[in-house]
């Protein structure tokens, strides 16, 4: 069965410093991986996705994610954090057993301090 | 959140009542989804629909019902059989054209049982 894990409930980083939000996955077959961001009392916004090809995927708002097949990871990164990046981040994996289901991680709350 | 609207933003339900949450999209998407979000648990799939007049149960369908009479609309009814309905409900849509399509989310409805 497909699954995704976000090992950190919360990440704290100072503004201007690089940030990493971790995600590991377990799938049978090719992984289709997504990152979403959620601001308070709002829906999720799509950041980026990995389908195939380059291991470094660039997305919205300066975010990027690094796909590592050997470590089954898909960590979200940003070179320089902004206070406005503070939000809840979800990693997700698309089920590839014939259905349309997406499995979401529990989420990681990012706090960026000025 | 563009293209997907959910109403109301806040909803209060008395014990024993059925309530219906609205979800409308103007993205011409074939697939639509309902998720429930509880703190620390990520998103859990309630129902999804790949095409008009067809829908499937997700992981936590008990106590919920849906209809898909129009491509643009996918209302969710929370019935009195749902014993713990207080949560944030998110509707999403996608092209439904494969494993790599991206889900786009509405702004959510927060349901509280009085």
């Amino acid at each position: 069965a497909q699954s995704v894990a976000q090992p950190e409930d919360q990440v704290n980083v100072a503004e201007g410093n690089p940030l990493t939000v971790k995600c590991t996955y377990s799938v049978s077959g090719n992984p289709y991986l997504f990152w979403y961001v959620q601001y308070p009392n709002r829906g999720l916004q799509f950041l980026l996705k990995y389908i195939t090809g380059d291991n470094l995927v660039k997305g919205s708002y300066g975010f990027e994610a690094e796909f590592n097949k050997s470590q089954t990871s898909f960590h979200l990164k940003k070179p320089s954090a902004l206070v406005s990046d503070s939000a809840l981040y979800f990693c997700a994996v698309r089920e590839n057993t014939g259905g349309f289901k997406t499995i979401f991680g529990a989420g990681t709350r990012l706090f960026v301090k000025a | 959140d563009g293209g997907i609207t959910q109403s109301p933003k806040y909803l209060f339900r008395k014990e024993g009542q059925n309530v219906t949450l609205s979800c409308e999209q103007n993205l011409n998407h074939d697939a639509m989804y309902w998720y429930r979000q509880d703190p620390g648990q990520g998103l859990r799939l309630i129902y999804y629909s790949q095409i008009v007049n067809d829908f499937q149960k997700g992981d936590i369908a008990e106590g919920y019902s849906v209809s898909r009479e129009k491509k643009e609309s996918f209302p969710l009814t929370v019935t009195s059989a749902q014993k713990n309905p207080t949560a944030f409900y998110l509707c999403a849509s996608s092209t439904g054209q494969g494993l790599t399509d991206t889900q786009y989310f509405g702004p959510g409805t927060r349901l509280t049982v009085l």
Side-chain angles (χ1 to χ4, degrees):
Chain A
Q2 276 72 223
S3 66
V4 61
Q6 295 182 241
E8 301 158 315
D9 292 335
Q10 183 171 312
V11 170
N12 298 310
V13 65
E15 188 174 34
N17 283 0
L19 70 87
T20 298
V21 183
K22 296 180 180 178
C23 173
T24 59
Y25 65 90
S26 174
V27 300
S28 53
N30 294 324
Y32 301 100
L33 299 158
F34 301 78
W35 275 104
Y36 289 86
V37 61
Q38 184 181 34
Y39 297 98
N41 294 311
R42 301 291 299 277
L44 275 66
Q45 296 178 29
F46 168 72
L47 283 177
L48 50 81
K49 65 183 176 183
Y50 174 81
I51 302 171
T52 187
D54 290 341
N55 290 339
L56 188 64
V57 180
K58 295 191 179 296
S60 306
Y61 313 119
F63 284 93
E64 58 191 24
E66 186 172 9
F67 172 70
N68 187 316
K69 188 174 183 178
S70 62
Q71 297 185 8
T72 63
S73 67
F74 188 55
H75 300 332
L76 182 70
K77 299 173 185 273
K78 188 174 183 181
S80 178
L82 300 172
V83 172
S84 58
D85 292 330
S86 299
L88 186 58
Y89 290 81
F90 290 97
C91 182
V93 62
R94 201 62 182 271
E95 188 178 81
N96 56 13
T97 55
F100 275 70
K101 292 172 62 174
T102 300
I103 312 299
F104 287 84
T108 297
R109 190 164 297 281
L110 173 67
F111 287 100
V112 181
K113 185 176 180 181
Chain B
D1 302 335
I4 302 179
T5 58
Q6 291 186 241
S7 62
K9 187 172 182 178
Y10 298 97
L11 186 58
F12 298 91
R13 192 192 91 168
K14 295 181 180 179
E15 295 284 349
Q17 273 187 335
N18 292 353
V19 292
T20 298
L21 284 59
S22 171
C23 177
E24 303 277 333
Q25 55 99 359
N26 62 5
L27 301 171
N28 199 34
H29 285 169
D30 285 319
M32 296 187 75
Y33 314 80
W34 273 106
Y35 292 93
R36 170 177 171 146
Q37 184 178 16
D38 295 282
Q41 293 193 40
L43 276 66
R44 293 183 290 170
L45 183 65
I46 305 172
Y47 270 96
Y48 65 101
S49 168
Q50 296 173 231
I51 198 168
V52 175
N53 292 322
D54 185 51
F55 49 83
Q56 288 79 40
K57 293 182 179 180
D59 299 319
I60 56 166
E62 185 176 352
Y64 300 97
S65 65
V66 293
S67 63
R68 187 83 188 278
E69 298 177 359
K70 299 188 299 181
K71 187 174 186 177
E72 304 80 22
S73 179
F74 192 41
L76 173 74
T77 296
V78 183
T79 75
S80 56
Q82 171 51 239
K83 297 306 179 188
N84 185 23
T86 295
F88 191 50
Y89 290 85
L90 289 163
C91 178
S93 70
S94 71
T95 60
Q97 292 179 359
L99 293 168
T100 62
D101 70 335
T102 300
Q103 293 183 30
Y104 294 90
F105 286 81
T109 292
R110 187 166 297 280
L111 174 62
T112 302
V113 174
L114 300 175

